[in-house]
Amino acid sequence: MTVTLKGFISVPQDRLDSIRSALPEHIRLTRAEPGCLSFDVVESDTTPGRFDVAEEFTDKAAFDAHQVRVKASDWGKISVGIERSYEILGL
């Protein structure tokens, strides 16, 4: 059963530049992970600081491996403490 995550992150104004800078590499690395079916993070045109997130992984193991990798990554360090609002299906 696939695992999907949908939601958003709310980035404070003072952290926008670092998030925007780190995001392309985070997306590239995630899309290259085994079991990643899709991964999109898109900055909102209407809500300042909001980045919409949509992920799909082949199964729980692939999703869990992604979570472990992210926590140890530059993105994990740069985005620590940023408010996240997600719905996860398939766990």
Side-chain angles (χ1 to χ4, degrees):
M1 176 179 210
T2 63
V3 176
T4 59
L5 178 150
K6 290 187 180 179
F8 62 91
I9 62 174
S10 297
V11 180
Q13 181 69 32
D14 64 332
R15 297 181 67 186
L16 280 172
D17 288 343
S18 63
I19 290 295
R20 287 177 182 138
S21 178
L23 189 55
E25 181 68 358
H26 174 54
I27 292 170
R28 186 189 71 74
L29 290 171
T30 300
R31 288 179 178 169
E33 291 175 10
C36 178
L37 298 173
S38 65
F39 185 80
D40 294 298
V41 182
V42 179
E43 188 169 0
S44 172
D45 290 333
T46 57
T47 306
R50 179 179 167 135
F51 290 75
D52 295 309
V53 180
E55 308 176 7
E56 185 173 17
F57 292 86
T58 55
D59 55 24
K60 182 181 183 310
F63 180 79
D64 290 346
H66 167 68
Q67 297 303 311
V68 169
R69 185 198 65 78
V70 167
K71 285 180 183 162
S73 72
D74 286 341
W75 173 261
K77 294 172 187 125
I78 290 166
S79 68
V80 71
I82 288 180
E83 178 186 345
R84 290 161 166 83
S85 179
Y86 297 146
E87 178 183 18
I88 303 171
L89 301 173
L91 288 181

